[in-house]
Amino acid sequence: MSPAGCAHVNGYKVDNWKQNLRVIYQCFVWSGTAETRRRKAKSCICHMCGAHLNRLHSCLYCVFFGCFAKKHIHEHAKTKRHNLAIDLLYGGIYCFVCQDYIYDKDMEQIAKEEQRKAWKLQGSVPHMFTLHQCSLGVGEKFSTWEPTKRELELLRHNPKRRKITSNCTIGLRGLINLGNTCFMNCIVQALTHTPLLRDFFLSDRHKCEMQSNSCLVCEMSQLFQEFYSGHRSPHIPFRLLHLVWTHARHLAGYEQQDAHEFLIAALDVLHRHCKGDDNGKKANNPNHCNCIIDQIFTGGLQSDVTCQVCHGVSTTIDPFWDISLDLPGSSTPFWPLSPGSDGTTVNGESHLTGSTTLTDCLRRFTRPEHLGSSAKIKCGGCHSYQESTKQLTMKKLPIVACFHLKRFEHSAKLRRKITTYVSFPLELDMTPFMASSKESRMNGQYQQTVDVLNNDNKYSLFAVVNHQGTLESGHYTSFIRQHRDQWFKCDDAIITKASIKDVLDSEGYLLFYHKQFLEYE
C-alpha cells in the first residue's frame, strides 16, 4: 500500500456505504446507549468459534463477525472476497488485500463523528480524551480534571496508595507491526517508559494549540493512555504511523527504516507540535524552547577550538538530543581503550581484556582532536589561519541521555553493519565528560572522588534498542525497564520477561539513560 492510501476502498464506496458504515460504528464499535451495548455484547461473537475476544472484526460487506487472531475473519474474506473488515475494539479498518490497517479520510471522519455522538449519549467525554482539544470539535474548550468533593473525601479516608508489585503489568503493551514498522515500535516503547515523559502525559499537561487533527503530541497523549489503561491486547498504532508519514515524509512507505532516524524525526515533530506548528517553527533552536521534549531531551554540547600558536580558545555551545559514538571496527580510527585491561572498573562496567565499553566511546568522543594543516581555522587572536585542536565536552546534561552507537557505516566504498560488542552499565556517571571537569583539571583543582550525595550527573539505564540482522535485512527489538529492576523484552506484539543479564549482554544500538535524582517510580 502506498502512502496515498488503500486502492481497494473505492470498491466499497458504492450506494449507501456511508450510512452502512455509520450503523456499524453505532451498533458494534462505539455503542453509545445501553441498548446498543447490550446488543453488541449478545451479537458480537465469532461466527466460527463463538469467542468474544481474539481481536474480533466485522466484515464491512455483510453481517459476519470473526476472530482476527485465529484468522477466522481472514477465511471469510478469502471465501467471499470481502476485502475490508473493521476492528470492533478500536474502529480501525483492515484490508485483506493490502494485509494492513488502512487510512481513508472519509472513513476516518465518519468514525470520529460517531465516536463523539457516542460520548454525548453516554453523558460525558471520557477522561482520557479531555486533553485532546484537537480530537474534539472545533471551538470546544479544553478543561482540566479536578476531583469532586466525594473523591476528595475518599482520598482523605484512604490515604494509603497502591504500590507496584513485582508481577504488575501496568504500562506493558505490545504493538502490532504494520509492515516493517519495528523501527517505530521499539522507539515508542522507549518513549512510553521514559519516567518524566510518562508523568507529563498521564497528568493531562498537554494543551493543544493546533488547528487541525494532525497533532503528534495529542496522538502520543492517547498512546500513553492506551499503554497505561491496563489493557493487555496489542495496540495498533495506525494513527501514529499516519501522522509520522504526514510530518516526516522521508519515513513514509513500507521499507525498513532506521530507528535512530525515526527517534530524531519524532522528537523534532513533537517539539514543533508542543507549541502549535507555527510557534514550534519559530523555536527551531531547542535551547530557546521550554516544551516538554526540550526540557527532557535537550542538552548542551560545548566545542572548544584551541589555536596551536597563541593558545586562544574559541567556544561554542550547541543543543543536542542524542550523542552518536564511533565504534571499534569502523573506518574511523578508534582511541583509546579503557584501562580495563589492567583489571580496573570504570562506571561500574566489567572490563575484559580487549573489550570496549561505553566509557571508552565517550572518552574517544571527548578527547582533544588535532584538526591538521588541511583544516586550518582563522584564529581571533592571531588574526590568521592556524592549526588548532578541537575538544567536545558536555556543558549541560539532559534529563534523558540517549547514546547512538554508530553500527551502520555508509561511505563511498563501504556499506556495512558493525557488530562490535560494547558493554554498557546500569548506572552511568557523566562527570568526567563535563566541561566543568575539564576546566577543573586545567586549573589543577580536579579530584577523582566526587560527592555522591551532591552529584547531578548520575544516570540509570531504562531502555535499550537492538538491531538483529544485516544492513539490508534486519529487525529491531527493545528492552525496557518497567520499574526498579524489572526488565522486559519488546518484540512488536510480544512482551516477555527479561533478566538484567539479557539486557547487558545485548548488542546495543540506542541506549537510554535517565537522571537518577529525577526518577520517582
Side-chain angles (χ1 to χ4, degrees):
M1 188 178 77
S2 70
C6 172
H8 309 100
V9 172
N10 291 333
Y12 173 75
K13 291 182 175 180
V14 293
D15 299 329
N16 298 322
W17 74 271
K18 289 186 177 181
Q19 183 57 34
N20 294 337
L21 185 61
R22 288 185 186 278
V23 170
I24 292 174
Y25 274 114
Q26 291 169 7
C27 297
F28 303 129
V29 182
W30 307 131
S31 304
T33 66
E35 176 58 33
T36 55
R37 286 194 292 274
R38 279 193 294 269
R39 186 189 303 131
K40 178 178 179 178
K42 290 180 180 179
S43 60
C44 290
I45 59 174
C46 178
H47 285 182
M48 296 186 72
C49 68
H52 286 272
L53 302 175
N54 295 324
R55 291 175 60 199
L56 203 63
H57 283 57
S58 171
C59 176
L60 287 186
Y61 299 85
C62 65
V63 182
F64 180 90
F65 304 118
C67 297
F68 194 94
K70 295 183 178 180
K71 296 192 178 297
H72 292 156
I73 190 68
H74 297 71
E75 295 175 25
H76 171 81
K78 184 177 181 181
T79 303
K80 299 293 185 179
R81 295 187 178 180
H82 292 174
N83 297 330
L84 301 177
I86 187 169
D87 183 335
L88 297 186
L89 183 60
Y90 299 104
I93 295 176
Y94 189 88
C95 175
F96 293 95
V97 180
C98 298
Q99 298 183 22
D100 198 359
Y101 288 91
I102 63 171
Y103 174 83
D104 179 82
K105 185 177 180 180
D106 297 331
M107 289 180 164
E108 182 74 5
Q109 185 61 34
I110 291 173
K112 288 182 177 179
E113 289 174 1
E114 295 305 324
Q115 190 176 39
R116 293 190 190 104
K117 289 179 185 177
W119 294 343
K120 291 178 181 178
L121 288 171
Q122 292 170 14
S124 64
V125 177
H127 177 56
M128 64 176 284
F129 291 101
T130 58
L131 64 155
H132 305 303
Q133 183 181 358
C134 70
S135 296
L136 303 173
V138 177
E140 291 187 50
K141 190 176 180 181
F142 171 89
S143 57
T144 56
W145 172 84
E146 291 184 7
T148 64
K149 291 182 178 180
R150 172 61 178 160
E151 289 168 335
L152 287 171
E153 183 180 342
L154 287 171
L155 288 171
R156 280 193 294 268
H157 286 86
N158 298 276
K160 189 176 180 180
R161 299 292 184 264
R162 289 186 63 184
K163 292 183 178 179
I164 297 178
T165 58
S166 59
N167 61 350
C168 177
T169 59
I170 189 70
L172 296 176
R173 195 162 186 186
L175 290 165
I176 297 294
N177 191 315
L178 300 177
N180 283 332
T181 57
C182 56
F183 70 93
M184 177 181 75
N185 290 348
C186 65
I187 297 301
V188 169
Q189 292 288 359
L191 293 179
T192 51
H193 289 88
T194 301
L196 281 189
L197 198 62
R198 172 199 63 201
D199 296 340
F200 173 84
F201 280 115
L202 293 184
S203 59
D204 290 2
R205 298 288 300 279
H206 172 56
K207 298 183 180 181
C208 186
E209 298 178 14
M210 295 183 67
Q211 299 301 313
S212 65
N213 296 332
S214 61
C215 178
L216 187 62
V217 189
C218 287
E219 181 57 34
M220 284 299 295
S221 298
Q222 186 166 344
L223 202 61
F224 272 86
Q225 298 289 344
E226 289 286 352
F227 263 72
Y228 291 90
S229 65
H231 295 304
R232 297 188 180 187
S233 58
H235 178 66
I236 308 168
F238 67 96
R239 287 190 180 90
L240 176 66
L241 181 63
H242 169 68
L243 286 175
V244 169
W245 284 5
T246 301
H247 298 292
R249 297 279 183 180
H250 62 290
L251 296 175
Y254 286 101
E255 297 81 12
Q256 179 63 272
Q257 304 289 349
D258 179 32
H260 173 248
E261 188 176 3
F262 175 82
L263 170 67
I264 299 304
L267 292 178
D268 177 61
V269 177
L270 288 168
H271 154 68
R272 288 191 279 114
H273 288 191
C274 272
K275 298 293 184 180
D277 202 38
D278 292 335
N279 292 335
K281 288 176 182 176
K282 294 175 184 177
N284 279 334
N285 183 348
N287 272 356
H288 297 163
C289 178
N290 199 37
C291 72
I292 187 62
I293 298 301
D294 287 298
Q295 287 185 51
I296 293 177
F297 293 96
T298 299
L301 187 65
Q302 180 169 314
S303 174
D304 294 318
V305 178
T306 305
C307 175
Q308 294 297 284
V309 176
C310 70
H311 302 293
V313 180
S314 173
T315 299
T316 57
I317 300 173
D318 296 306
F320 69 88
W321 277 331
D322 73 314
I323 300 169
S324 293
L325 301 171
D326 289 316
L327 301 180
S330 68
S331 57
T332 305
F334 191 85
W335 179 93
L337 284 176
S338 73
S341 56
D342 62 7
T344 59
T345 300
V346 180
N347 257 325
E349 297 165 312
S350 59
H351 295 262
L352 302 175
T353 302
S355 68
T356 304
T357 69
L358 178 61
T359 303
D360 293 331
C361 299
L362 284 167
R363 281 176 171 166
R364 184 192 186 282
F365 182 78
T366 56
R367 82 192 193 286
E369 178 185 4
H370 184 65
L371 297 181
S373 58
S374 61
K376 290 184 178 180
I377 296 176
K378 189 172 183 178
C379 174
C382 300
H383 302 290
S384 60
Y385 287 91
Q386 304 290 352
E387 291 189 24
S388 57
T389 59
K390 178 180 178 181
Q391 184 173 12
L392 299 175
T393 50
M394 308 296 161
K395 180 65 175 179
K396 173 182 175 293
L397 289 174
I399 292 173
V400 169
C402 174
F403 300 104
H404 166 225
L405 304 183
K406 294 161 70 172
R407 296 200 174 274
F408 303 123
E409 189 170 40
H410 302 270
S411 64
K413 299 180 180 179
L414 201 61
R415 291 184 73 254
R416 60 173 180 148
K417 179 184 175 183
I418 300 168
T419 58
T420 304
Y421 173 70
V422 176
S423 68
F424 47 90
L426 286 174
E427 296 184 353
L428 177 68
D429 187 354
M430 289 293 289
T431 303
F433 314 108
M434 297 294 293
S436 56
S437 296
K438 174 191 172 185
E439 292 161 5
S440 296
R441 285 195 298 271
M442 292 176 66
N443 296 331
Q445 300 170 347
Y446 181 72
Q447 295 181 345
Q448 192 66 32
T449 57
V450 181
D451 183 1
V452 295
L453 298 177
N454 188 29
N455 186 8
D456 294 344
N457 304 330
K458 288 193 173 183
Y459 286 82
S460 295
L461 183 72
F462 73 92
V464 178
V465 171
N466 287 292
H467 179 272
Q468 291 86 40
T470 64
L471 189 67
E472 291 76 21
S473 176
H475 180 62
Y476 287 101
T477 60
S478 58
F479 288 105
I480 58 96
R481 188 193 65 190
Q482 186 198 22
H483 59 93
R484 295 188 179 89
D485 292 329
Q486 300 293 320
W487 285 86
F488 291 85
K489 182 179 181 180
C490 304
D491 187 352
D492 288 331
I494 302 172
I495 309 290
T496 53
K497 190 78 180 287
S499 67
I500 293 177
K501 186 178 186 300
D502 294 331
V503 178
L504 298 181
D505 286 348
S506 65
E507 190 176 80
Y509 178 50
L510 299 174
L511 310 175
F512 293 84
Y513 285 84
H514 199 286
K515 274 196 174 182
Q516 286 183 0
F517 79 97
L518 285 175
E519 287 189 288
Y520 42 94
E521 299 189 30

